Each structure stands twice: as structure tokens, then as C-alpha cells.
Amino acid sequence: MAVEQNTAEAEAEATPASRNRFNMSESAITFYDIILHPKAYPSAPNPWKTRYALNFAGVPYRTEWVPFLQVGPTRKALNVPPVRKHFHDGSDFPTLPVIKDPLSGEDVLVGDSFDIAVHLQRTYLSKNPDGPQLFPGSAGDDLGSVALTRAWNLFVDEAFQIGAILGGYWMEFDPETAEADKAEFVRRAPGKTSWEEFKIPIGSEARNSMLKTFESGLDSKLSPCYPDGEGPFMGGRTTPMYADFIVGGWLQFMRGCLPEWEDLRNMWSGGKWGRLFDALEEWTKVDGREGVVPSRR
């Protein structure tokens, strides 16, 4: 059920500048992403972090779309162990993204969104220090901006967790697999016995309270890193770095699943998140899903 764009098309759509910069052959990186609904725009936050990074790096790649229930078997077939654990019992939590990169001379497999960004920086972008960098000022080692961004990644994930709880119920599923997909989500969630238990009704007191906490958290924890009246990216920069793509990945999830997206986008933190979201649009190309467009901005 995976949807692929062939290698020739993937390279043809890569910018000439990126092909010349890296002197690449006709090979392409394979990017494994999750597909919940064949007609829905992708929204999984961690694969979005990788998509942004791949587009920014300008490397040719094609997307292998993996149905939700095939994520575990796909990682196992690739011999890429899970890098995450279920928080309630410490068991393995197989998820995506994964990339398979033949461009550096062998099929390098990387199975974590942050590690993928470091791989792209170290393998490609650091070779052109005057060009765009995912980790400015870093040679791609776990020092300096890489270490700080790794901590930022965890910090941002934590800040958006309440948003994931508020939006998860509204994820779009393929009608043919929805029952099984939802059952798997229930199985993974401690204390849940049915999908309906994930629903926090719109307009309810509990939801409104959680929304206020979510808004306040983004405003107090993340907003200060995006100064008012300066460039749209972290620290007032006019060029993004991976730290911005981390936030962007979560904004993509919020756009796809959070019913209150318009408020988050246009009103929270004075509209700062909408400005960042729009500024990241240059790096949002989705391959292998021709004709699939977002249902809302």
C-alpha cells in the first residue's frame, strides 16, 4: 500500500543547485513516513521535522509511505531498532521516520528524526560551510549548537504534548483500516479501553482549561525565542535552522488535527506561530502524494 515516487522523478524535482552542490548520482535517499489516510495531508510531527530538513538540505529523496500498522514490521525489516519507549511501561515504541541513504557510498540507515538532521548536516551541509546549515556554527558533531538543539527538541516536544492530547482524537484514518488503527492506539495508551475515551469535547470546561494551559506554555516557554518585530525564525534570524523545523513539525500536526488551529495560528502569542508556519512554507514540499493538499491553512 506504500506510495512511491520513482527515483528519476525525485532527482528531477531536486533543485539543480542541490544536485551540483553535492555532485550526486541518480540515487536518492528513501524517507519512510507514516500514512494514516491516503487522501489526507501528512501531519505526523517527527516525520515533518525530517521532511523540512531534507527539503532544506536539497538532497534528492523519495518518500515510502508506510501504513500505521506496518510501521513496526517496516523498522524490523530494515533492521532499525526502535529508538523510543512507551512512557508507561518502558517497552519498545517503533515509529517513523527512518531514512536509507545510499548517497554517501553505502545504505546508511538512520531511525530518529534528530539523528537524521545531524546526519544531513555532517554528511552534506558541513561540506559547504558558506551555505545553509541545519546547525549553524557546528561541524555536525554533538557539540555546540547540535547539543543545544537536541535539548531544544525535547523541550519543544514536551511543550506540545498537551496539544497532542487535544488533537489526537481528530486524526484522519483510512476508513478501510480505521478500526484496526484506532484499536492499536488504544492498546498503546494506559487506562484506555476505547477510542472515544481520547475525545475531549470541544467547548467543555476541561478542554478550555487545557487550551489555556497549552497557550500559556507556548507563550512562556517558546515565544521568547522568537523576538517580536524581528525575523520570523529563532533569535530573529531570517534563515531557518533545525530548531525552527522542530517547532514547524508540531505546527503541521496542530494544523492537521487540532480543532482550535485557527486560534493557535492567528491569535496565540500575537500570531507568532502563524508567521513562523508561513515562513517555513518554502520547505514543505511533499513528494509521492500528488493532488493531496492541506484541508486548511
Side-chain angles (χ1 to χ4, degrees):
M1 187 174 171
V3 180
E4 297 185 15
Q5 181 183 35
N6 66 50
T7 301
E9 290 176 340
E11 186 179 12
E13 292 184 5
T15 64
S18 67
R19 292 199 299 271
N20 292 338
R21 186 195 318 158
F22 299 121
N23 191 28
M24 292 175 178
S25 68
E26 293 184 356
S27 297
I29 290 172
T30 301
F31 164 41
Y32 295 85
D33 192 2
I34 302 168
I35 183 170
L36 288 180
H37 192 306
K39 296 184 179 179
Y41 199 70
S43 60
N46 286 318
W48 259 108
K49 297 174 189 179
T50 293
R51 177 175 291 105
Y52 276 126
L54 286 165
N55 289 335
F56 181 80
V59 294
Y61 72 93
R62 63 183 181 87
T63 307
E64 182 86 12
W65 295 97
V66 181
F68 177 62
L69 294 178
Q70 293 302 310
V71 169
T74 297
R75 286 191 79 107
K76 185 175 182 180
L78 291 170
N79 197 26
V80 180
V83 295
R84 297 177 62 188
K85 300 287 186 180
H86 288 290
F87 71 91
H88 59 285
D89 63 4
S91 61
D92 287 341
F93 179 19
T95 186
L96 296 176
V98 169
I99 66 164
K100 181 167 66 174
D101 180 6
L103 301 176
S104 55
E106 57 185 37
D107 282 342
V108 175
L109 288 157
V110 188
D112 172 79
S113 57
F114 192 90
D115 291 342
I116 290 169
V118 173
H119 170 78
L120 294 173
Q121 173 70 36
R122 179 180 295 151
T123 309
Y124 304 110
L125 297 177
S126 63
K127 295 177 181 178
N128 181 24
D130 294 328
Q133 306 292 312
L134 287 166
F135 302 94
S138 171
D141 298 320
D142 286 338
L143 300 170
S145 64
V146 172
L148 290 173
T149 309
R150 191 180 292 275
W152 172 254
N153 188 48
L154 296 174
F155 188 65
V156 172
D157 284 358
E158 181 180 348
F160 275 96
Q161 282 310 300
I162 192 169
I165 294 170
L166 288 164
Y169 177 81
W170 281 270
M171 291 186 294
E172 295 186 80
F173 293 93
D174 183 345
E176 294 184 5
T177 62
E179 184 175 350
D181 290 341
K182 291 177 180 179
E184 176 61 13
F185 273 102
V186 171
R187 186 191 69 81
R188 295 181 180 189
K192 301 292 185 185
T193 60
S194 72
W195 179 253
E196 286 301 309
E197 292 177 32
F198 286 100
K199 186 176 183 179
I200 304 171
I202 296 172
S204 67
E205 182 177 348
R207 186 175 187 87
N208 289 339
S209 177
M210 291 175 70
L211 282 166
K212 288 180 180 178
T213 301
F214 184 27
E215 179 183 4
S216 175
L218 294 186
D219 196 53
S220 62
K221 296 176 181 178
L222 306 188
S223 180
C225 298
Y226 292 88
D228 293 322
E230 299 185 32
F233 305 117
M234 177 174 276
R237 293 167 56 91
T238 57
T239 302
M241 51 187 174
Y242 188 64
D244 298 296
F245 297 142
I246 291 169
V247 180
W250 277 107
L251 292 177
Q252 289 285 354
F253 178 81
M254 295 298 111
R255 185 264 294 278
C257 304
L258 186 72
E260 296 85 1
W261 162 247
E262 295 298 330
D263 287 344
L264 188 160
R265 184 198 203 292
N266 299 317
M267 298 175 61
W268 292 12
S269 299
K272 190 174 294 185
W273 309 122
R275 290 191 292 273
L276 173 62
F277 185 82
D278 290 345
L280 292 172
E281 186 171 1
E282 180 178 346
W283 300 277
T284 58
K285 176 183 176 294
V286 177
D287 91 293
R289 302 290 297 280
E290 289 72 14
V292 178
V293 297
S295 59
R296 54 185 180 177
R297 287 283 296 161

